[in-house]
Amino acid sequence: MTTPRKQQISLADTPYYHCITRCVRRAFLCGKDKLSGQSFEHRRGWIEDKLHFLTQVFAIDVCAYAIMANHYHVVLFVDEEKAKQWSMTEVLERWHRLHKGTLLTQQYLNGDTLAEPLLAMVNATAEIYRQRLIDISWFMRYINEGVARAANQEDDCKGRFWEARFYSQALLDEAAIAACMAYVDLNPIRANIADTPETSSHTSVKLRCEQAKTGKQPNTLMPFVGNPRENMSKGLPFDLTDYLQLIDITGRSIREDKHGFIEQSQPEILKRLNISAEHWLIITTEFRTQFHGAVGREAALSDFCEHQHLKRRRNLSHCNKLFA
Protein backbone atom coordinates (compact mmCIF):
# COMPACT_ATOMS: atom_id res chain seq x y z
CA MET A 1 0.00 0.00 0.00
CA THR A 2 1.33 3.45 -0.92
CA THR A 3 2.64 5.52 1.99
CA PRO A 4 0.98 8.97 2.31
CA ARG A 5 3.23 11.85 1.27
CA LYS A 6 3.06 13.40 4.77
CA GLN A 7 4.59 10.20 6.18
CA GLN A 8 7.40 10.22 3.62
CA ILE A 9 8.57 13.78 4.28
CA SER A 10 9.00 15.09 7.84
CA LEU A 11 11.41 17.99 8.31
CA ALA A 12 11.19 17.50 12.06
CA ASP A 13 13.06 14.22 11.60
CA THR A 14 15.49 14.98 8.75
CA PRO A 15 16.11 17.58 6.06
CA TYR A 16 17.65 14.98 3.68
CA TYR A 17 15.54 13.08 1.11
CA HIS A 18 16.15 10.77 -1.83
CA CYS A 19 13.61 11.33 -4.62
CA ILE A 20 13.03 9.34 -7.80
CA THR A 21 10.78 10.00 -10.78
CA ARG A 22 10.27 7.43 -13.51
CA CYS A 23 8.95 7.88 -17.05
CA VAL A 24 5.73 6.02 -17.88
CA ARG A 25 6.44 5.48 -21.56
CA ARG A 26 8.19 2.58 -23.21
CA ALA A 27 10.20 5.06 -25.26
CA PHE A 28 12.60 7.19 -23.27
CA LEU A 29 12.93 10.14 -20.97
CA CYS A 30 16.46 10.40 -22.39
CA GLY A 31 18.77 8.15 -24.35
CA LYS A 32 18.24 6.69 -27.83
CA ASP A 33 15.25 4.62 -28.94
CA LYS A 34 16.70 1.59 -30.74
CA LEU A 35 13.45 0.96 -32.62
CA SER A 36 12.95 4.42 -34.10
CA GLY A 37 16.55 5.55 -33.97
CA GLN A 38 15.44 8.83 -32.44
CA SER A 39 17.71 10.34 -29.79
CA PHE A 40 16.34 11.99 -26.66
CA GLU A 41 19.71 12.75 -25.12
CA HIS A 42 19.05 16.48 -25.06
CA ARG A 43 16.32 15.95 -22.45
CA ARG A 44 18.93 15.15 -19.83
CA GLY A 45 20.00 18.75 -20.16
CA TRP A 46 16.44 19.94 -19.52
CA ILE A 47 16.40 18.27 -16.12
CA GLU A 48 19.96 19.18 -15.21
CA ASP A 49 19.37 22.84 -16.07
CA LYS A 50 16.17 22.95 -14.01
CA LEU A 51 17.91 21.37 -11.01
CA HIS A 52 20.67 23.97 -11.04
CA PHE A 53 18.20 26.81 -11.56
CA LEU A 54 15.88 25.74 -8.75
CA THR A 55 18.67 25.69 -6.17
CA GLN A 56 18.92 29.45 -6.76
CA VAL A 57 15.19 29.90 -6.03
CA PHE A 58 14.12 27.32 -3.43
CA ALA A 59 15.58 26.85 0.05
CA ILE A 60 16.46 23.35 -1.15
CA ASP A 61 19.98 22.18 -2.00
CA VAL A 62 20.90 19.34 -4.34
CA CYS A 63 23.38 16.92 -2.75
CA ALA A 64 23.51 14.38 -5.59
CA TYR A 65 21.74 13.60 -8.83
CA ALA A 66 21.84 11.17 -11.74
CA ILE A 67 19.74 11.48 -14.90
CA MET A 68 19.16 8.11 -16.51
CA ALA A 69 17.34 6.86 -19.63
CA ASN A 70 13.86 6.50 -18.13
CA HIS A 71 14.18 8.01 -14.62
CA TYR A 72 16.24 10.36 -12.51
CA HIS A 73 17.45 10.46 -8.91
CA VAL A 74 18.07 13.45 -6.65
CA VAL A 75 19.23 13.68 -3.05
CA LEU A 76 17.88 16.91 -1.56
CA PHE A 77 18.51 18.98 1.57
CA VAL A 78 15.70 21.26 2.78
CA ASP A 79 17.11 24.38 4.44
CA GLU A 80 14.16 25.50 6.56
CA GLU A 81 16.26 27.93 8.61
CA LYS A 82 17.41 29.73 5.47
CA ALA A 83 13.81 30.26 4.36
CA LYS A 84 12.83 31.67 7.76
CA GLN A 85 15.50 34.37 7.41
CA TRP A 86 14.20 35.67 4.08
CA SER A 87 12.42 39.00 4.12
CA MET A 88 8.95 39.25 2.59
CA THR A 89 10.47 41.03 -0.42
CA GLU A 90 13.02 38.26 -0.98
CA VAL A 91 10.34 35.57 -0.78
CA LEU A 92 8.22 37.36 -3.38
CA GLU A 93 11.18 37.99 -5.68
CA ARG A 94 12.12 34.32 -5.55
CA TRP A 95 8.58 33.16 -6.23
CA HIS A 96 8.20 35.58 -9.13
CA ARG A 97 11.14 33.88 -10.83
CA LEU A 98 8.81 30.87 -11.16
CA HIS A 99 5.32 32.36 -11.41
CA LYS A 100 3.61 35.70 -11.91
CA GLY A 101 2.24 35.81 -8.38
CA THR A 102 -0.84 37.95 -7.72
CA LEU A 103 -1.71 41.47 -8.75
CA LEU A 104 -1.01 42.65 -5.20
CA THR A 105 2.42 40.97 -5.01
CA GLN A 106 3.30 42.50 -8.38
CA GLN A 107 2.23 45.95 -7.17
CA TYR A 108 4.24 45.54 -3.96
CA LEU A 109 7.43 44.62 -5.83
CA ASN A 110 6.85 47.51 -8.24
CA GLY A 111 6.99 49.87 -5.26
CA ASP A 112 3.32 50.87 -5.31
CA THR A 113 1.87 52.22 -2.06
CA LEU A 114 -0.63 49.75 -0.59
CA ALA A 115 -3.17 50.28 2.17
CA GLU A 116 -2.64 48.33 5.40
CA PRO A 117 -5.32 45.68 4.66
CA LEU A 118 -3.79 45.06 1.22
CA LEU A 119 -0.29 44.93 2.70
CA ALA A 120 -1.51 42.31 5.17
CA MET A 121 -2.83 40.27 2.25
CA VAL A 122 0.57 40.51 0.54
CA ASN A 123 2.27 39.34 3.73
CA ALA A 124 -0.11 36.38 4.05
CA THR A 125 0.53 35.44 0.42
CA ALA A 126 4.30 35.68 0.97
CA GLU A 127 4.04 33.23 3.89
CA ILE A 128 2.28 30.75 1.61
CA TYR A 129 5.08 31.15 -0.93
CA ARG A 130 7.71 30.75 1.82
CA GLN A 131 6.26 27.35 2.71
CA ARG A 132 6.17 26.30 -0.92
CA LEU A 133 9.84 27.22 -1.33
CA ILE A 134 10.81 24.57 1.25
CA ASP A 135 8.36 22.01 -0.12
CA ILE A 136 9.93 19.10 -2.01
CA SER A 137 6.60 18.46 -3.77
CA TRP A 138 6.68 21.94 -5.30
CA PHE A 139 10.36 21.51 -6.20
CA MET A 140 9.74 18.22 -7.99
CA ARG A 141 6.51 19.50 -9.56
CA TYR A 142 8.32 22.39 -11.20
CA ILE A 143 10.83 20.01 -12.81
CA ASN A 144 8.37 17.33 -13.85
CA GLU A 145 5.61 19.53 -15.24
CA GLY A 146 8.03 21.49 -17.40
CA VAL A 147 9.73 18.37 -18.78
CA ALA A 148 6.39 16.63 -19.41
CA ARG A 149 4.99 19.58 -21.35
CA ALA A 150 8.15 19.98 -23.42
CA ALA A 151 8.37 16.25 -24.16
CA ASN A 152 4.69 16.02 -25.13
CA GLN A 153 5.08 18.98 -27.43
CA GLU A 154 8.21 17.49 -28.97
CA ASP A 155 6.52 14.08 -29.42
CA ASP A 156 3.28 15.70 -30.65
CA CYS A 157 1.16 13.75 -28.20
CA LYS A 158 -0.88 14.12 -25.01
CA GLY A 159 -1.18 12.17 -21.79
CA ARG A 160 0.90 11.36 -18.77
CA PHE A 161 4.66 11.43 -19.11
CA TRP A 162 5.60 10.30 -15.57
CA GLU A 163 4.27 7.12 -13.99
CA ALA A 164 3.67 8.90 -10.65
CA ARG A 165 4.42 12.22 -8.94
CA PHE A 166 7.66 11.01 -7.36
CA TYR A 167 8.95 8.56 -4.77
CA SER A 168 10.69 9.98 -1.70
CA GLN A 169 12.82 8.33 0.97
CA ALA A 170 13.94 9.93 4.25
CA LEU A 171 17.68 9.71 5.00
CA LEU A 172 17.94 9.83 8.78
CA ASP A 173 21.67 9.91 9.52
CA GLU A 174 25.13 10.35 8.01
CA ALA A 175 25.50 6.71 7.01
CA ALA A 176 22.22 6.78 5.09
CA ILE A 177 23.14 10.08 3.41
CA ALA A 178 26.57 8.87 2.28
CA ALA A 179 25.24 5.51 1.09
CA CYS A 180 22.37 7.03 -0.87
CA MET A 181 24.54 9.70 -2.48
CA ALA A 182 27.01 7.03 -3.59
CA TYR A 183 24.17 4.87 -4.91
CA VAL A 184 22.88 7.81 -6.95
CA ASP A 185 26.29 8.91 -8.23
CA LEU A 186 27.17 5.37 -9.30
CA ASN A 187 23.95 4.76 -11.28
CA PRO A 188 25.57 5.09 -14.74
CA ILE A 189 28.36 2.66 -13.78
CA ARG A 190 25.88 0.05 -12.55
CA ALA A 191 23.91 0.54 -15.76
CA ASN A 192 27.07 -0.03 -17.84
CA ILE A 193 26.87 3.34 -19.60
CA ALA A 194 30.00 4.77 -17.94
CA ASP A 195 33.33 3.28 -16.84
CA THR A 196 34.34 5.80 -14.20
CA PRO A 197 32.61 8.42 -12.04
CA GLU A 198 34.33 11.33 -13.80
CA THR A 199 32.95 10.16 -17.16
CA SER A 200 29.38 9.62 -15.86
CA SER A 201 27.53 12.28 -17.82
CA HIS A 202 24.68 14.19 -16.18
CA THR A 203 25.61 13.24 -12.63
CA SER A 204 26.62 15.31 -9.64
CA VAL A 205 29.85 13.33 -9.18
CA LYS A 206 31.10 14.29 -12.66
CA LEU A 207 30.41 17.95 -11.91
CA ARG A 208 32.20 17.66 -8.56
CA CYS A 209 35.21 15.98 -10.21
CA GLU A 210 35.45 18.73 -12.82
CA GLN A 211 35.34 21.46 -10.19
CA ALA A 212 37.73 19.61 -7.87
CA LYS A 213 40.46 19.85 -10.53
CA THR A 214 40.41 23.62 -10.02
CA GLY A 215 40.20 23.35 -6.23
CA LYS A 216 36.55 24.43 -6.17
CA GLN A 217 33.12 22.98 -5.44
CA PRO A 218 30.03 23.54 -7.66
CA ASN A 219 27.97 26.49 -6.44
CA THR A 220 24.74 24.77 -7.46
CA LEU A 221 25.42 21.67 -5.34
CA MET A 222 25.51 21.40 -1.57
CA PRO A 223 29.20 21.64 -0.57
CA PHE A 224 31.22 19.14 1.45
CA VAL A 225 32.41 20.87 4.64
CA GLY A 226 34.39 18.09 6.34
CA ASN A 227 33.71 15.78 9.26
CA PRO A 228 31.22 16.89 11.97
CA ARG A 229 32.55 19.43 14.44
CA GLU A 230 31.36 22.34 16.54
CA ASN A 231 30.32 25.52 14.75
CA MET A 232 30.62 23.88 11.33
CA SER A 233 29.15 25.70 8.34
CA LYS A 234 26.16 24.32 6.44
CA GLY A 235 27.08 21.46 4.15
CA LEU A 236 27.61 17.74 3.82
CA PRO A 237 29.39 16.31 6.90
CA PHE A 238 32.14 14.60 4.92
CA ASP A 239 35.46 15.49 3.36
CA LEU A 240 35.21 15.96 -0.42
CA THR A 241 38.48 14.14 -1.10
CA ASP A 242 37.36 11.16 1.00
CA TYR A 243 34.03 10.99 -0.80
CA LEU A 244 35.50 11.18 -4.30
CA GLN A 245 38.09 8.54 -3.39
CA LEU A 246 35.33 6.30 -2.05
CA ILE A 247 33.20 6.75 -5.17
CA ASP A 248 36.18 6.00 -7.42
CA ILE A 249 37.10 2.81 -5.55
CA THR A 250 33.48 1.66 -5.35
CA GLY A 251 32.88 2.36 -9.03
CA ARG A 252 35.86 0.25 -10.02
CA SER A 253 34.73 -2.54 -7.71
CA ILE A 254 31.21 -2.89 -9.09
CA ARG A 255 32.17 -3.16 -12.74
CA GLU A 256 31.36 -6.50 -14.34
CA ASP A 257 35.02 -7.33 -14.97
CA LYS A 258 35.86 -6.90 -11.27
CA HIS A 259 35.23 -9.18 -8.30
CA GLY A 260 33.51 -6.63 -6.09
CA PHE A 261 36.48 -6.00 -3.83
CA ILE A 262 37.51 -2.85 -1.95
CA GLU A 263 41.08 -2.74 -0.66
CA GLN A 264 41.75 -3.19 3.03
CA SER A 265 43.07 0.36 3.15
CA GLN A 266 39.52 1.60 2.70
CA PRO A 267 38.73 5.34 2.77
CA GLU A 268 38.39 7.10 6.12
CA ILE A 269 34.75 7.85 5.45
CA LEU A 270 33.84 4.14 5.78
CA LYS A 271 35.82 3.81 8.97
CA ARG A 272 34.13 6.82 10.52
CA LEU A 273 30.66 5.62 9.52
CA ASN A 274 31.52 2.11 10.74
CA ILE A 275 30.43 0.40 7.54
CA SER A 276 32.35 -2.63 6.33
CA ALA A 277 33.61 -2.70 2.74
CA GLU A 278 31.49 -5.80 2.06
CA HIS A 279 28.31 -4.14 3.30
CA TRP A 280 29.17 -0.91 1.49
CA LEU A 281 29.18 -2.70 -1.86
CA ILE A 282 25.79 -4.24 -1.11
CA ILE A 283 24.35 -0.87 -0.14
CA THR A 284 25.65 1.02 -3.16
CA THR A 285 24.48 -1.60 -5.66
CA GLU A 286 21.15 -2.54 -4.04
CA PHE A 287 20.03 0.56 -2.12
CA ARG A 288 16.53 0.65 -3.62
CA THR A 289 15.94 -3.09 -3.20
CA GLN A 290 17.39 -3.26 0.32
CA PHE A 291 15.55 -0.23 1.70
CA HIS A 292 11.90 0.71 1.24
CA GLY A 293 11.04 3.90 3.07
CA ALA A 294 13.12 5.81 5.62
CA VAL A 295 16.77 4.75 6.03
CA GLY A 296 19.01 5.10 9.07
CA ARG A 297 20.35 3.35 12.13
CA GLU A 298 17.90 1.87 14.65
CA ALA A 299 17.65 4.86 16.99
CA ALA A 300 16.99 7.33 14.16
CA LEU A 301 14.52 4.95 12.51
CA SER A 302 12.65 4.45 15.79
CA ASP A 303 12.34 8.20 16.35
CA PHE A 304 11.10 8.73 12.81
CA CYS A 305 8.42 6.03 13.15
CA GLU A 306 7.31 7.40 16.52
CA HIS A 307 6.93 10.94 15.13
CA GLN A 308 5.07 9.64 12.09
CA HIS A 309 2.86 7.32 14.22
CA LEU A 310 4.01 4.30 12.24
CA LYS A 311 3.46 0.97 13.96
CA ARG A 312 6.16 -0.93 12.08
CA ARG A 313 9.80 0.04 11.56
CA ARG A 314 10.36 -0.90 7.95
CA ASN A 315 13.97 -1.61 6.92
CA LEU A 316 15.02 -2.26 10.54
CA SER A 317 16.68 -5.62 9.95
CA HIS A 318 18.51 -4.43 6.82
CA CYS A 319 19.58 -1.18 8.48
CA ASN A 320 20.93 -3.05 11.51
CA LYS A 321 22.79 -5.51 9.33
CA LEU A 322 24.27 -3.14 6.74
CA PHE A 323 24.94 -0.14 8.98
CA ALA A 324 26.17 -2.15 11.97
Side-chain angles (χ1 to χ4, degrees), residues 139-203:
F139 185 94
M140 297 297 289
R141 176 189 299 181
Y142 189 83
I143 298 173
N144 292 346
E145 282 190 1
V147 170
R149 290 178 188 277
N152 279 348
Q153 184 177 15
E154 187 175 69
D155 295 341
D156 192 23
C157 67
K158 299 179 180 179
R160 292 181 61 176
F161 186 78
W162 305 103
E163 76 175 12
R165 285 174 61 198
F166 65 94
Y167 168 85
S168 65
Q169 189 172 33
L171 306 175
L172 303 177
D173 54 31
E174 292 176 20
I177 296 165
C180 188
M181 285 181 60
Y183 170 79
V184 169
D185 277 331
L186 291 167
N187 252 257
I189 293 177
R190 288 197 310 277
N192 253 347
I193 58 176
D195 293 326
T196 61
E198 62 270 23
T199 59
S200 300
S201 298
H202 303 287
T203 63

Side-chain angles (χ1 to χ4, degrees), residues 71-87:
H71 68 286
Y72 71 90
H73 296 257
V74 286
V75 177
L76 304 174
F77 171 83
V78 182
D79 195 345
E80 192 171 11
E81 288 303 313
K82 177 181 178 181
K84 289 179 180 178
Q85 296 170 9
W86 289 337
S87 65

Side-chain angles (χ1 to χ4, degrees), residues 209-232:
C209 287
E210 290 172 348
Q211 292 290 303
K213 292 176 183 177
T214 63
K216 299 178 181 179
Q217 294 199 52
N219 57 15
T220 54
L221 294 178
M222 193 174 188
F224 286 82
V225 294
N227 295 336
R229 59 193 181 279
E230 291 185 12
N231 302 318
M232 69 184 294

